[in-house]
Amino acid sequence: MIPQVMTSHRFSLLTPLALLGLLVGFAHLSYGSVTEDEDYYMQELLTREQYNQVQFLEKPVASIPDRHEHSRQNPAKKIPKGKAAGSSKQTDKPTADAKSVKTVNKKAEKNKKSPLTNPNSISEGDGHYNSIKDECPPMGLETLKIDDFQLHASSTKRYGLGAHRGRLNIQAGIYEDDLYDGAWCAGRDDPLQWFEVDARRLTKFTGVITQGRSSLWSSDWVTSYKVMVSNDSHTWITLKNGSQDLIFSGNREKEIPVRNIFPAPVIARYIRVNPRSWFHSGSICMRVEILGCPLPDPNNYYHRRNEVITTDDLDFKHHSYKEMRQLMKVVNEMCPNITRIYNIGKSHSGLKLYAIEISDNPGDHEVGEPEFRYTAGSHGNEVLGRELLLLLMQFMCLEYLAGNQRIRHLVEETRIHLLPSVNPDGYEKAFEVGSELSGWSLGRWSNDGIDIHHNFPDLNSILWGAEAKKWVPRKMFNHHVPIPAWYLSKNASVALETRALIAWMEKMPFVLGGNLQGGELVVTFPYDKTRSQGMTREHTPTPDDHVFRWLAFSYASTHRLMTDANRRVCHTEDFAKEDGTINGASWHTAAGSMNDFSYLHTNCFELSMYVGCDKFPHESELPEEWENNRESLLVFMEQVHRGIKGVVRDLQGRGIANAIISVEGIGHDIRTAADGDYWRLLNPGEYRVTARAEGYSLASKKCEVGYEMGATRCDFTIGRTNLSRIKEIMEKFNKQPIRLPVRQLQARRSRERRLGT
């Protein structure tokens, strides 16, 4: 049963008698059901009898905060073997269980007849309402689908604490009194204040989620509130419990979200949250998310213009660890000739870190074929990247089977590794609580409290210290910086997941990698640590800064939102001004990052993709997020074929492992893999490239990189030096003088005697 607030734009067409009936209906905050032929957005009048079919609960108690997960209420269908399952289109109703409006009345009557067999029935006796099926997804305050012009408030303390900042999980700037504070805060602390959302169309509202203010210095949150709805923003109806106003329980501290589900859904255009009490030492400050289902309205041009629909038939849902493993198995069974599942180690709690390889020859490194990796979930609560990689492996398998030439070329020319969950322990914590209730940090760290992404050894300081002492390149290389001994000890504070990642990175000759993060819309590239001590942010480029900038731009520019100059900032930084990219140290300094370690210890160029403002979006948002990122994920993988590649061989044609490839003018070298093959990412241009190896002579040549996709072939053949041959012979004879045959020795002695006489 659904309470309804009347449309206001048709009032002029109503008779005085109808208007009188309408006022009576408003006065009673009545409820109504809907017949099959009724359309909500065209309906002019509901009779009092329709309103009174369903009543609020009689017991005047505050709603109990609900901690169940939104996104787990509607488990998706299992993927049948041989086919990926899931929603292929995003409809007007974001959740799978949001049925057509025309069926509501039939379902309501069925519930009334069989309250014990249907979980949606209202039980007045025990005062409990199970609204699993009626619950709607978030409207999008956190994901920015609700824009700033749809948010209003009774008063505001200052601009930085305006209604536009009252979004769930929004983060404040470092300083107070700036433009980017962490909540809406009322200008006065009294019960007359309110926070309002304009849905811009009739919407079925089912609940509210609230947080306190994000602040390092202040403690502000609302402890109880009322909810009011309207259809014209002038006449407001307060949700009631019988004859009394419903008072909802709010927050007990400022960070943990609290969700309240309405006793029954209510239909309106506008919704207000009216704080009634707040923390005694603080002020009225809130961050809010509204749960609501927009009702179908084909005449709503604004909605249709912004609607994003995917045609990919994939499994759009959040997967538990077990479900993730099963999905990877299904993909492997669908495409056994191009996929392989393996694990790189275990988490702190013993969960295996599964990866899937996609290649035309899975399990083997092919000479001349570059290796690429995507990782996600190093912060367990940033789950969008995890789901994007699960979608990506499904997509690539299905498209390969369908004969998509772009995907076939990628698979046949690249060895691709996808590791969707680096921190499965943290993810399970966030997954258990739910997409809107995990807050900003629950599940971020490993089980032993370590931030995995920043748990790598700080090789920046080692290299920069050696450069200051002028040890590079005589005493120390400018690449493959060794890991310090203390870090390798058992007592070092290194997560098991980090050790597994390092072993994996050292084993595989990765050329390019991306780690998917959440909470922002930006691509960051090394260095992540500032070079100047004491600086919290400072532009700190690598010798390959021009290459990293291109790699970052290749992802950001093909993302649907990252480079949109008109989009709203997620929290405090306007990265769109920088084309959706930024040097990591220019944003904030971070020692021991995965990106810096990968660049300094291996050949792999690693970047971080922050793929969405919402770390843990509702599963109804996954189709749109997939559309936002799909092209970017593919384009970035294709960049592994930009630059030069080749094989370094000796005079006998054997590949030379660990040979050093240097590019003139770039102070960072790379090394060949076990078979002597190498890949050097470069932007278009002409370069002087040198190959050298211990015991071999140097070889240099000019290599030209074009603008077309595909690395330029640049092979080298180098011979042994005379000194290395002498050393080899001496080692062969255990460093002893070479003993000549007896005849040669006698001839030499007789020659010496003749010369002496």
Side-chain angles (χ1 to χ4, degrees):
M1 300 298 182
I2 303 174
Q4 171 116 354
V5 178
M6 303 307 306
T7 55
S8 59
H9 63 288
R10 312 278 282 187
F11 279 0
S12 60
L13 302 179
L14 300 179
T15 63
L17 182 59
L19 283 174
L20 180 60
L22 179 64
L23 293 175
V24 172
F26 269 117
H28 285 83
L29 184 60
S30 47
Y31 292 78
S33 62
V34 187
T35 64
E36 288 190 357
D37 295 327
E38 287 176 332
D39 269 326
Y40 286 117
Y41 62 92
M42 294 294 292
Q43 189 175 4
E44 296 180 1
L45 183 64
L46 290 180
T47 64
R48 183 172 179 179
E49 288 74 21
Q50 286 177 305
Y51 271 110
N52 291 330
Q53 285 184 16
V54 178
Q55 298 294 331
F56 274 118
L57 301 179
E58 295 181 359
K59 192 175 181 180
V61 295
S63 175
I64 300 175
D66 187 295
R67 299 281 300 183
H68 290 292
E69 177 188 2
H70 291 82
S71 60
R72 296 172 62 192
Q73 305 301 337
N74 309 315
K77 297 178 181 178
K78 294 184 179 179
I79 305 177
K81 294 183 180 180
K83 182 178 179 181
S87 173
S88 62
K89 288 189 177 181
Q90 181 179 359
T91 62
D92 285 326
K93 297 227 177 179
T95 59
D97 284 323
K99 304 296 183 183
S100 170
V101 175
K102 296 181 179 180
T103 65
V104 173
N105 194 49
K106 285 187 175 181
K107 291 181 67 177
E109 299 215 352
K110 183 178 179 181
N111 293 344
K112 188 174 181 181
K113 293 178 181 178
S114 304
L116 297 179
T117 60
N118 195 297
N120 292 324
S121 59
I122 299 177
S123 173
E124 296 186 6
D126 59 5
H128 178 70
Y129 178 74
N130 189 333
S131 58
I132 289 178
K133 294 292 183 182
D134 283 330
E135 184 182 336
C136 287
M139 292 184 60
L141 275 76
E142 183 175 7
T143 62
L144 307 183
K145 292 182 74 172
I146 299 295
D147 64 41
D148 289 351
F149 297 103
Q150 293 176 258
L151 304 179
H152 310 279
S154 54
S155 62
T156 296
K157 186 168 292 187
R158 60 173 179 271
Y159 178 79
L161 293 169
H164 64 291
R165 302 295 295 176
R167 301 173 180 269
L168 191 73
N169 284 322
I170 201 167
Q171 300 298 294
I174 298 176
Y175 308 103
E176 304 289 338
D177 300 323
D178 61 9
L179 298 178
Y180 301 107
D181 276 313
W184 160 68
C185 289
R188 300 180 299 276
D189 293 331
D190 61 52
L192 300 179
Q193 306 306 307
W194 45 262
F195 176 85
E196 177 184 314
V197 179
D198 175 6
R200 286 183 172 158
R201 62 186 298 180
L202 284 180
T203 300
K204 181 175 74 171
F205 298 114
T206 62
V208 173
I209 304 172
T210 59
Q211 272 177 314
R213 176 182 175 184
S214 170
S215 173
L216 296 174
W217 323 108
S218 303
S219 296
D220 305 304
W221 61 86
V222 170
T223 56
S224 67
Y225 59 88
K226 294 181 181 180
V227 174
M228 300 179 288
V229 292
S230 172
N231 214 41
D232 59 6
S233 75
H234 297 293
T235 303
W236 291 89
I237 300 174
T238 303
L239 300 193
K240 292 184 178 295
N241 181 16
S243 60
Q244 299 183 6
D245 292 348
L246 264 176
I247 304 294
F248 294 95
S249 299
N251 300 86
R252 297 181 179 179
E253 52 85 67
K254 58 187 178 183
E255 288 298 336
I256 299 177
V258 172
R259 179 178 66 174
N260 282 296
I261 302 300
F262 301 158
V266 58
I267 293 176
R269 171 175 169 173
Y270 302 90
I271 186 169
R272 279 183 181 177
V273 178
N274 169 219
R276 306 303 295 176
S277 62
W278 47 93
F279 179 53
H280 62 87
S281 297
S283 302
I284 296 177
C285 295
M286 302 183 76
R287 289 177 286 171
V288 178
E289 182 62 83
I290 304 296
L291 306 180
C293 301
L295 298 183
D297 184 359
N299 298 319
N300 191 320
Y301 169 74
Y302 178 85
H303 175 75
R304 287 185 287 111
R305 184 186 62 181
N306 292 277
E307 191 174 22
V308 177
I309 298 175
T310 183
T311 58
D312 296 325
D313 188 18
L314 307 176
D315 189 23
F316 293 106
K317 60 166 287 186
H318 288 298
H319 298 81
S320 67
Y321 177 80
K322 183 177 180 180
E323 291 169 336
M324 177 194 74
R325 185 177 59 188
Q326 179 63 27
L327 178 61
M328 295 174 74
K329 182 180 179 182
V330 169
V331 172
N332 177 240
E333 291 173 348
M334 291 170 60
C335 298
N337 295 329
I338 63 167
T339 61
R340 176 179 71 98
I341 300 174
Y342 64 98
N343 74 82
I344 68 168
K346 292 184 178 180
S347 69
H348 185 271
S349 67
L351 299 179
K352 292 181 179 180
L353 308 180
Y354 285 107
I356 191 167
E357 174 189 343
I358 304 177
S359 171
D360 61 342
N361 191 18
D364 295 318
H365 170 72
E366 299 180 58
V367 176
E369 186 170 279
E371 307 223 7
F372 176 92
R373 71 167 180 255
Y374 269 133
T375 61
S378 58
H379 298 144
N381 63 327
E382 296 172 9
V383 306
L384 178 55
R386 168 193 175 108
E387 296 304 328
L388 287 176
L389 292 193
L390 293 178
L391 292 168
L392 180 63
M393 64 181 69
Q394 297 173 62
F395 176 79
M396 295 192 70
C397 173
L398 292 172
E399 292 300 305
Y400 183 89
L401 295 177
N404 184 319
Q405 290 304 307
R406 181 187 187 187
I407 300 302
R408 280 186 170 269
H409 183 267
L410 257 179
V411 172
E412 292 166 1
E413 300 297 327
T414 320
R415 192 181 183 198
I416 302 165
H417 303 259
L418 306 179
L419 177 60
S421 189
V422 173
N423 182 9
D425 297 345
Y427 173 79
E428 289 300 301
K429 292 179 182 177
F431 181 73
E432 182 180 358
V433 174
S435 57
E436 317 318 318
L437 303 181
S438 58
W440 192 248
S441 60
L442 179 64
R444 175 183 175 88
W445 299 277
S446 66
N447 260 10
D448 47 350
I450 294 176
D451 185 335
I452 296 172
H453 186 68
H454 299 107
N455 188 220
F456 293 82
D458 177 13
L459 303 184
N460 305 59
S461 298
I462 296 174
L463 176 63
W464 295 339
E467 289 177 345
K469 296 176 182 178
K470 301 187 183 303
W471 286 358
V472 179
R474 291 183 300 106
K475 293 184 179 181
M476 183 175 173
F477 293 113
N478 61 11
H479 64 286
H480 282 227
V481 179
I483 298 174
W486 66 265
Y487 185 89
L488 299 174
S489 67
K490 293 183 178 180
N491 296 328
S493 297
V494 182
L496 289 176
E497 296 88 344
T498 310
R499 295 187 189 276
L501 283 172
I502 291 176
W504 185 48
M505 295 161 73
E506 291 177 334
K507 179 181 178 181
M508 302 289 187
F510 292 117
V511 180
L512 178 62
N515 53 82
L516 306 187
Q517 311 280 341
E520 262 298 350
L521 274 173
V522 67
V523 180
T524 69
F525 52 89
Y527 289 122
D528 288 333
K529 180 182 178 180
T530 57
R531 187 156 190 159
S532 302
Q533 292 186 356
M535 296 292 292
T536 58
R537 54 172 66 188
E538 175 189 57
H539 181 64
T540 310
T542 67
D544 285 288
D545 188 60
H546 56 297
V547 178
F548 274 115
R549 287 182 178 277
W550 168 256
L551 294 172
F553 184 71
S554 72
Y555 193 98
S557 62
T558 50
H559 190 280
R560 286 188 61 253
L561 299 175
M562 279 190 187
T563 56
D564 184 0
N566 296 320
R567 74 170 179 87
R568 187 196 184 282
V569 300
C570 291
H571 300 285
T572 62
E573 304 281 350
D574 187 2
F575 295 114
K577 294 189 299 185
E578 304 294 332
D579 292 325
T581 69
I582 192 172
N583 170 253
S586 295
W587 185 11
H588 55 76
T589 185
S593 74
M594 184 176 179
N595 296 351
D596 288 3
F597 173 82
S598 181
Y599 180 69
L600 293 177
H601 186 68
T602 73
N603 290 341
C604 185
F605 287 31
E606 182 96 5
L607 294 84
S608 292
M609 292 78 176
Y610 291 79
V611 292
C613 300
D614 189 349
K615 291 184 176 183
F616 196 156
H618 189 273
E619 70 179 27
S620 64
E621 300 290 336
L622 293 179
E624 182 170 346
E625 293 294 353
W626 167 245
E627 289 297 317
N628 289 344
N629 289 275
R630 180 184 57 192
E631 182 64 17
S632 300
L633 291 167
L634 297 175
V635 167
F636 186 74
M637 278 195 289
E638 291 170 337
Q639 303 312 304
V640 76
H641 296 285
R642 181 176 294 277
I644 60 174
K645 68 177 181 179
V647 181
V648 180
R649 297 183 176 92
D650 61 16
L651 296 177
Q652 287 72 42
R654 296 169 300 195
I656 301 174
N658 220 32
I660 297 174
I661 305 297
S662 303
V663 178
E664 188 177 88
I666 301 178
H668 181 81
D669 304 334
I670 57 125
R671 300 198 182 194
T672 58
D675 297 311
D677 47 349
Y678 77 91
W679 307 264
R680 192 21 166 126
L681 297 176
L682 292 168
N683 285 342
E686 190 176 87
Y687 301 90
R688 168 68 63 176
V689 184
T690 301
R692 67 181 187 274
E694 186 176 357
Y696 292 85
S697 58
L698 298 177
S700 296
K701 62 171 62 176
K702 283 187 177 181
C703 303
E704 186 173 349
V705 179
Y707 286 91
E708 65 280 357
M709 188 58 67
T712 301
R713 190 85 188 188
C714 199
D715 296 323
F716 292 90
T717 300
I718 55 179
R720 303 293 298 272
T721 63
N722 291 334
L723 180 60
S724 67
R725 291 177 179 176
I726 294 173
K727 288 182 178 180
E728 183 179 358
I729 294 173
M730 292 184 67
E731 289 176 358
K732 182 178 180 181
F733 290 93
N734 199 22
K735 297 184 180 180
Q736 296 297 321
I738 300 174
R739 298 186 180 278
L740 299 175
V742 175
R743 289 183 180 179
Q744 293 184 17
L745 184 60
Q746 289 175 346
R748 190 175 68 177
R749 287 178 179 176
S750 68
R751 187 167 57 250
E752 289 174 352
R753 282 195 301 268
R754 287 196 305 269
L755 292 174
T757 58

